[in-house]
Amino acid sequence: MKWLKNNKSTVSGKFVIFVGFLSFSFAAVFFLLSQYLAITINSLIFSFLLLFFIVLFGIIADIIGTSVAAADEAPFHAKAAKKVTGAKESVLLIRNADRVANITNDVIGDIAGTLSGALGIALGLQIISFMQDLNQFFLNMLITALIAALTVGGKAYGKKIALSNANGVIFIVGKVLAAFSGITGKNIVKK
């Protein structure tokens, strides 16, 4: 059983509880926000755009999660020694790859999938309200299939990007985190 214990995981019981609470909170807030926006604005174009951005957000999160698991830490040490912006953040992301991948792939990715499904139903109801003679069952099936195709196809292509450019993707994320820290004064990437 020695082969099962490689000590590479930084996930603790507290982290699991934190991720569960974070998932619940984000899902509730984003669901309420997306439903409010979809109903209040009552625009099919806006609803389609919102749906597209939620799917895209899930794909980008999946790319980051896959990249962090495949990235190589060594090139970032040289950049960090030269004080290159985002290199230190990239090293910390890679060192916590299991946590980062869990949050991006599971928390954000799954919430984006759930929200896109809920928004798809709301979008179907909006379309039916404009065109009452449409078959609601067929419309819901079509919207669900479209969301699934965009999500799965996008994530498949995203994995190709993530695996062939893992270090580049993580360096971009590191730069974004460094810029965020510079603007807010808060370092969100901690040991």
Side-chain angles (χ1 to χ4, degrees):
M1 289 296 201
K2 187 178 180 182
W3 56 273
L4 285 176
K5 196 171 187 176
N6 63 14
N7 294 324
K8 289 187 178 183
S9 179
T10 60
V11 173
S12 65
K14 281 185 195 177
F15 181 75
V16 171
I17 292 169
F18 169 73
V19 166
F21 178 75
L22 188 69
S23 299
F24 179 83
S25 302
F26 278 170
V29 168
F30 287 122
F31 174 78
L32 291 172
L33 181 64
S34 66
Q35 291 297 315
Y36 173 77
L37 289 173
I39 292 168
T40 305
I41 303 229
N42 203 16
S43 165
L44 287 176
I45 294 171
F46 178 78
S47 294
F48 272 113
L49 285 174
L50 184 61
L51 177 62
F52 174 76
F53 283 116
I54 289 172
V55 170
L56 183 64
F57 190 64
I59 292 168
I60 291 170
D62 193 68
I63 291 170
I64 293 168
T66 303
S67 294
V68 78
D72 184 21
E73 187 177 328
F76 295 108
H77 287 292
K79 290 178 183 175
K82 294 177 185 175
K83 306 279 188 210
V84 176
T85 303
K88 180 179 77 170
E89 289 80 3
S90 298
V91 169
L92 291 173
L93 286 169
I94 294 168
R95 286 187 178 171
N96 291 288
D98 54 346
R99 290 179 180 212
V100 173
N102 181 260
I103 289 171
T104 55
N105 289 11
D106 299 332
V107 176
I108 296 172
D110 292 351
I111 289 170
T114 303
L115 285 178
S116 63
L119 191 57
I121 292 169
L123 186 64
L125 293 173
Q126 275 184 320
I127 293 171
I128 291 294
S129 72
F130 288 119
M131 303 172 212
Q132 280 97 17
D133 51 334
L134 284 176
N135 183 326
Q136 187 173 359
F137 175 80
F138 179 74
L139 180 65
N140 286 341
M141 181 190 70
L142 186 65
I143 291 171
T144 301
L146 179 65
I147 292 169
L150 288 173
T151 302
V152 173
K155 285 186 177 186
Y157 187 72
K159 285 199 180 10
K160 178 182 177 183
I161 293 169
L163 293 174
S164 61
N165 301 304
N167 286 355
V169 170
I170 294 307
F171 192 43
I172 291 169
V173 175
K175 285 181 177 183
V176 169
L177 292 175
F180 181 81
S181 295
I183 292 168
T184 63
K186 294 186 180 198
N187 187 3
I188 60 170
V189 181
K190 296 179 182 178
K191 292 184 182 182

